Amino acid sequence: MTLSDLPWPLLNAVAALADAPLSHIAQRLRKAALPSVGSSALVIFTEDCTGRPQKKAGAEDIISKVSIAELDLLRAQLSDEDPWFGEAELAGKQRHALALKHAPSNALLVLTDPNPIEPDTSAWLDLLRFLWNLTARRIQEKVADAPPSYLVESRAASAERLRVTAELTDLHSTTLETLLAALRSSALDHATARTTVTDLAAKALIALRTHSDRTTDLVEEPVAKAFERLREDLRPLTGFSGIEVQFIEPPLNGRALPGEVAHAARAIVRGLVLVMMEQPEVTRIRTHWDCDGENLLINVRDDGGGALTTKDPNIGRLDRRVQALTGQLRMDVMSGWGADVFVSLPLDLPARPAGDVAGWNLAARELEVLQHLASGHRNRTIAAAMGISENTVKFHVRNLFKKLDVGSRTEAIALAHSHGMRQQG
């Protein structure tokens, strides 16, 4: 075989997928799979990414409406190994779908209306499995590494999703509770109809509360569970090192951690432990977590000779992760007594002034459009409020996307909220 005989389009697609940022990984996976299997939409559901558990590409009427509840229900039907073919409710409609699960991470891949180029062979399915396993591992590695850019974007997205979910929950809960009160009224006739509708409304109310709780589960992690995952992560790193690693557990009743804080904390501790293990004369490393209700407090200490310094490039990289979450890292080093590192990570996003957007260089009209977006307004509402056409609104929105370096309204809204813009009345 010569170089010209190699399947270069596929190899290039695999390389692009392996190097994909999380924001583009669904598009890259769909592009890599298209020569073998087409689809109307591709959806990835992964709880590793607390900010954006769904990553989507394809038909807008599907990817804009598919819900976590639908994906949860579909995933429950899958085994760890076998692909699933069948009809499933996705984006509010019954659709033909192909689903695959990545057993180690429990991530889910869904293709709607799958259309294999060679349906009579299994080669296309083997290739899809390979690409999906590569994608799922890429997501796990990216999240575990917790680089500053991921932490900032993910935390903003988590905050935005919680805000929207809370608003929807309050709105629909009030509506359903009012409906229940009316239907239970003795002034209404037709007892059978009243009972039936009451049951339906009660079930809808339970489903709504479940959806709210599920969203919270995705963006928060109990502090004790997060610490146990850290212990599991470090076990293969330290099992054969000859260095004793001690774990001082946080209180069980400590406040749950936002997902980005939990990911970052584990990555920071792993990095510190690795740096400390590289020093001579280290025999013991202790890591301790605590939570004061507002911050996750991390302490990592070694018993080495005190050679580690803040000028170490690895410490600098870890400090940038801490700063991405507006946290603080401090190191105390005493010659002959080892290094003592303290990290504080806030559990809540800091409030920023509404004017903290000067670096975006927005024109006055663009800033006004962004404020409307941050308030959840659609193009028609924005046009009416500003006295301009919807096409002009779309023009401003496209310019905003370029200046903010985002690819969707959701990303623009999350970024605006992370810079202090909040919903207006």
Side-chain angles (χ1 to χ4, degrees), residues 17 33 51 61 64 71 73 87 116 130 137 191 214 229 265 274 281 285-286 290 342 349:
L17 179 59
D61 63 328
S64 64
L71 297 171
L73 184 61
E87 297 289 323
F130 168 77
R137 287 196 297 270
R214 183 72 180 100
R229 287 183 63 181
L274 286 172
E281 303 178 3
I285 299 173
R286 187 190 72 168
D290 203 349
F342 301 88
L349 285 168

mmCIF file of all heavy atoms in Angstrom, residues 17 33 51 61 64 71 73 87 116 130 137 191 214 229 265 274 281 285-286 290 342 349:
data_model
loop_
_atom_site.group_PDB
_atom_site.id
_atom_site.type_symbol
_atom_site.label_atom_id
_atom_site.label_comp_id
_atom_site.label_asym_id
_atom_site.label_seq_id
_atom_site.Cartn_x
_atom_site.Cartn_y
_atom_site.Cartn_z
ATOM 1 N N LEU A 17 -11.674 15.245 14.596
ATOM 2 C CA LEU A 17 -12.500 14.852 15.740
ATOM 3 C C LEU A 17 -11.661 14.743 17.003
ATOM 4 O O LEU A 17 -12.061 15.208 18.079
ATOM 5 C CB LEU A 17 -13.186 13.520 15.433
ATOM 6 C CG LEU A 17 -14.083 12.913 16.513
ATOM 7 C CD1 LEU A 17 -15.211 13.866 16.867
ATOM 8 C CD2 LEU A 17 -14.638 11.573 16.034
ATOM 9 N N ALA A 33 -18.864 10.807 10.375
ATOM 10 C CA ALA A 33 -19.721 9.641 10.151
ATOM 11 C C ALA A 33 -20.497 9.714 8.838
ATOM 12 O O ALA A 33 -20.941 8.678 8.329
ATOM 13 C CB ALA A 33 -20.701 9.491 11.308
ATOM 14 N N GLY A 51 -22.146 21.895 32.309
ATOM 15 C CA GLY A 51 -22.671 23.105 31.697
ATOM 16 C C GLY A 51 -23.529 22.810 30.484
ATOM 17 O O GLY A 51 -24.596 23.380 30.316
ATOM 18 N N ASP A 61 -34.977 21.912 13.991
ATOM 19 C CA ASP A 61 -36.245 21.591 14.653
ATOM 20 C C ASP A 61 -36.113 20.395 15.587
ATOM 21 O O ASP A 61 -36.992 20.176 16.433
ATOM 22 C CB ASP A 61 -37.349 21.340 13.627
ATOM 23 C CG ASP A 61 -37.055 20.127 12.746
ATOM 24 O OD1 ASP A 61 -35.863 19.866 12.488
ATOM 25 O OD2 ASP A 61 -38.007 19.447 12.332
ATOM 26 N N SER A 64 -33.035 21.755 18.670
ATOM 27 C CA SER A 64 -33.483 22.836 19.549
ATOM 28 C C SER A 64 -34.561 22.389 20.524
ATOM 29 O O SER A 64 -34.853 23.083 21.502
ATOM 30 C CB SER A 64 -34.008 24.017 18.723
ATOM 31 O OG SER A 64 -35.164 23.644 17.986
ATOM 32 N N LEU A 71 -33.912 11.905 26.475
ATOM 33 C CA LEU A 71 -32.645 11.178 26.353
ATOM 34 C C LEU A 71 -32.438 10.231 27.528
ATOM 35 O O LEU A 71 -31.930 9.121 27.355
ATOM 36 C CB LEU A 71 -31.489 12.178 26.260
ATOM 37 C CG LEU A 71 -31.518 13.086 25.033
ATOM 38 C CD1 LEU A 71 -30.468 14.184 25.151
ATOM 39 C CD2 LEU A 71 -31.302 12.276 23.752
ATOM 40 N N LEU A 73 -34.800 8.690 29.160
ATOM 41 C CA LEU A 73 -35.697 7.552 28.943
ATOM 42 C C LEU A 73 -35.128 6.602 27.893
ATOM 43 O O LEU A 73 -35.168 5.374 28.061
ATOM 44 C CB LEU A 73 -37.070 8.068 28.493
ATOM 45 C CG LEU A 73 -38.169 7.020 28.319
ATOM 46 C CD1 LEU A 73 -38.442 6.302 29.638
ATOM 47 C CD2 LEU A 73 -39.442 7.675 27.795
ATOM 48 N N GLU A 87 -38.112 3.141 17.433
ATOM 49 C CA GLU A 87 -38.843 4.402 17.496
ATOM 50 C C GLU A 87 -38.731 4.962 18.901
ATOM 51 O O GLU A 87 -38.912 4.251 19.885
ATOM 52 C CB GLU A 87 -40.312 4.182 17.147
ATOM 53 C CG GLU A 87 -40.551 3.682 15.728
ATOM 54 C CD GLU A 87 -40.267 4.753 14.684
ATOM 55 O OE1 GLU A 87 -40.572 5.934 14.954
ATOM 56 O OE2 GLU A 87 -39.736 4.410 13.609
ATOM 57 N N PRO A 116 -27.735 4.388 6.631
ATOM 58 C CA PRO A 116 -26.429 3.817 6.263
ATOM 59 C C PRO A 116 -26.226 3.809 4.749
ATOM 60 O O PRO A 116 -27.156 3.513 3.995
ATOM 61 C CB PRO A 116 -26.494 2.391 6.817
ATOM 62 C CG PRO A 116 -27.621 2.385 7.794
ATOM 63 C CD PRO A 116 -28.589 3.413 7.325
ATOM 64 N N PHE A 130 -16.409 3.040 16.527
ATOM 65 C CA PHE A 130 -15.040 3.530 16.718
ATOM 66 C C PHE A 130 -15.040 5.050 16.905
ATOM 67 O O PHE A 130 -14.407 5.577 17.829
ATOM 68 C CB PHE A 130 -14.181 3.143 15.515
ATOM 69 C CG PHE A 130 -12.842 3.825 15.477
ATOM 70 C CD1 PHE A 130 -11.804 3.402 16.299
ATOM 71 C CD2 PHE A 130 -12.626 4.914 14.644
ATOM 72 C CE1 PHE A 130 -10.572 4.047 16.283
ATOM 73 C CE2 PHE A 130 -11.404 5.563 14.617
ATOM 74 C CZ PHE A 130 -10.374 5.130 15.441
ATOM 75 N N ARG A 137 -14.281 9.418 24.734
ATOM 76 C CA ARG A 137 -13.025 9.523 25.481
ATOM 77 C C ARG A 137 -12.483 10.951 25.405
ATOM 78 O O ARG A 137 -11.927 11.469 26.389
ATOM 79 C CB ARG A 137 -11.995 8.535 24.940
ATOM 80 C CG ARG A 137 -12.282 7.094 25.307
ATOM 81 C CD ARG A 137 -11.050 6.219 25.095
ATOM 82 N NE ARG A 137 -10.639 6.185 23.704
ATOM 83 C CZ ARG A 137 -11.076 5.293 22.814
ATOM 84 N NH1 ARG A 137 -11.959 4.371 23.186
ATOM 85 N NH2 ARG A 137 -10.639 5.328 21.573
ATOM 86 N N ALA A 191 -68.172 14.521 37.481
ATOM 87 C CA ALA A 191 -67.140 14.041 38.398
ATOM 88 C C ALA A 191 -66.070 13.209 37.706
ATOM 89 O O ALA A 191 -64.880 13.316 38.027
ATOM 90 C CB ALA A 191 -67.793 13.219 39.518
ATOM 91 N N ARG A 214 -33.881 16.855 38.122
ATOM 92 C CA ARG A 214 -32.889 16.232 37.226
ATOM 93 C C ARG A 214 -31.880 17.261 36.741
ATOM 94 O O ARG A 214 -30.681 16.993 36.652
ATOM 95 C CB ARG A 214 -33.630 15.616 36.029
ATOM 96 C CG ARG A 214 -32.708 14.877 35.055
ATOM 97 C CD ARG A 214 -32.210 13.581 35.666
ATOM 98 N NE ARG A 214 -31.337 12.898 34.729
ATOM 99 C CZ ARG A 214 -30.019 12.919 34.783
ATOM 100 N NH1 ARG A 214 -29.411 13.589 35.738
ATOM 101 N NH2 ARG A 214 -29.299 12.268 33.908
ATOM 102 N N ARG A 229 -14.678 10.430 44.136
ATOM 103 C CA ARG A 229 -14.202 10.310 42.759
ATOM 104 C C ARG A 229 -12.739 10.728 42.653
ATOM 105 O O ARG A 229 -11.968 10.152 41.869
ATOM 106 C CB ARG A 229 -15.070 11.174 41.828
ATOM 107 C CG ARG A 229 -16.448 10.600 41.579
ATOM 108 C CD ARG A 229 -17.239 11.442 40.603
ATOM 109 N NE ARG A 229 -16.613 11.497 39.281
ATOM 110 C CZ ARG A 229 -17.104 12.195 38.264
ATOM 111 N NH1 ARG A 229 -18.221 12.895 38.423
ATOM 112 N NH2 ARG A 229 -16.487 12.203 37.099
ATOM 113 N N ALA A 265 -11.644 21.011 40.906
ATOM 114 C CA ALA A 265 -10.988 20.625 42.155
ATOM 115 C C ALA A 265 -10.220 19.319 41.977
ATOM 116 O O ALA A 265 -9.077 19.188 42.431
ATOM 117 C CB ALA A 265 -12.028 20.487 43.267
ATOM 118 N N LEU A 274 0.792 15.118 41.386
ATOM 119 C CA LEU A 274 1.805 14.709 40.417
ATOM 120 C C LEU A 274 3.069 15.555 40.530
ATOM 121 O O LEU A 274 4.191 15.036 40.461
ATOM 122 C CB LEU A 274 1.231 14.804 39.002
ATOM 123 C CG LEU A 274 0.230 13.713 38.612
ATOM 124 C CD1 LEU A 274 -0.403 14.025 37.269
ATOM 125 C CD2 LEU A 274 0.892 12.348 38.580
ATOM 126 N N GLU A 281 12.739 12.834 47.865
ATOM 127 C CA GLU A 281 12.569 12.770 49.316
ATOM 128 C C GLU A 281 11.117 12.868 49.775
ATOM 129 O O GLU A 281 10.857 12.911 50.983
ATOM 130 C CB GLU A 281 13.384 13.868 50.027
ATOM 131 C CG GLU A 281 14.874 13.814 49.718
ATOM 132 C CD GLU A 281 15.635 14.946 50.388
ATOM 133 O OE1 GLU A 281 15.005 15.726 51.125
ATOM 134 O OE2 GLU A 281 16.841 15.055 50.161
ATOM 135 N N ILE A 285 1.973 12.493 51.012
ATOM 136 C CA ILE A 285 1.210 13.653 50.546
ATOM 137 C C ILE A 285 -0.177 13.566 51.178
ATOM 138 O O ILE A 285 -0.807 12.501 51.163
ATOM 139 C CB ILE A 285 1.091 13.681 49.009
ATOM 140 C CG1 ILE A 285 2.474 13.778 48.363
ATOM 141 C CG2 ILE A 285 0.213 14.841 48.550
ATOM 142 C CD1 ILE A 285 2.448 13.635 46.853
ATOM 143 N N ARG A 286 -0.645 14.680 51.696
ATOM 144 C CA ARG A 286 -1.967 14.706 52.329
ATOM 145 C C ARG A 286 -2.858 15.703 51.579
ATOM 146 O O ARG A 286 -2.434 16.827 51.297
ATOM 147 C CB ARG A 286 -1.856 15.149 53.783
ATOM 148 C CG ARG A 286 -3.166 15.028 54.561
ATOM 149 C CD ARG A 286 -3.087 15.692 55.915
ATOM 150 N NE ARG A 286 -3.078 17.156 55.781
ATOM 151 C CZ ARG A 286 -3.253 18.002 56.796
ATOM 152 N NH1 ARG A 286 -3.397 17.522 58.017
ATOM 153 N NH2 ARG A 286 -3.239 19.304 56.596
ATOM 154 N N ASP A 290 -12.575 20.780 52.514
ATOM 155 C CA ASP A 290 -13.581 21.255 53.460
ATOM 156 C C ASP A 290 -14.477 22.229 52.721
ATOM 157 O O ASP A 290 -14.146 22.679 51.612
ATOM 158 C CB ASP A 290 -12.934 21.926 54.672
ATOM 159 C CG ASP A 290 -13.849 21.916 55.894
ATOM 160 O OD1 ASP A 290 -15.049 21.590 55.741
ATOM 161 O OD2 ASP A 290 -13.369 22.238 56.984
ATOM 162 N N PHE A 342 -2.708 25.872 49.501
ATOM 163 C CA PHE A 342 -4.088 26.148 49.879
ATOM 164 C C PHE A 342 -4.831 26.705 48.667
ATOM 165 O O PHE A 342 -4.359 27.634 48.016
ATOM 166 C CB PHE A 342 -4.154 27.156 51.025
ATOM 167 C CG PHE A 342 -3.442 26.726 52.263
ATOM 168 C CD1 PHE A 342 -2.089 27.004 52.438
ATOM 169 C CD2 PHE A 342 -4.105 26.015 53.262
ATOM 170 C CE1 PHE A 342 -1.420 26.606 53.584
ATOM 171 C CE2 PHE A 342 -3.440 25.608 54.398
ATOM 172 C CZ PHE A 342 -2.097 25.898 54.569
ATOM 173 N N LEU A 349 -21.178 32.021 41.427
ATOM 174 C CA LEU A 349 -20.610 32.971 40.495
ATOM 175 C C LEU A 349 -20.564 34.361 41.134
ATOM 176 O O LEU A 349 -21.523 34.778 41.776
ATOM 177 C CB LEU A 349 -21.451 33.038 39.216
ATOM 178 C CG LEU A 349 -21.313 31.862 38.252
ATOM 179 C CD1 LEU A 349 -22.414 31.929 37.213
ATOM 180 C CD2 LEU A 349 -19.962 31.892 37.575
#
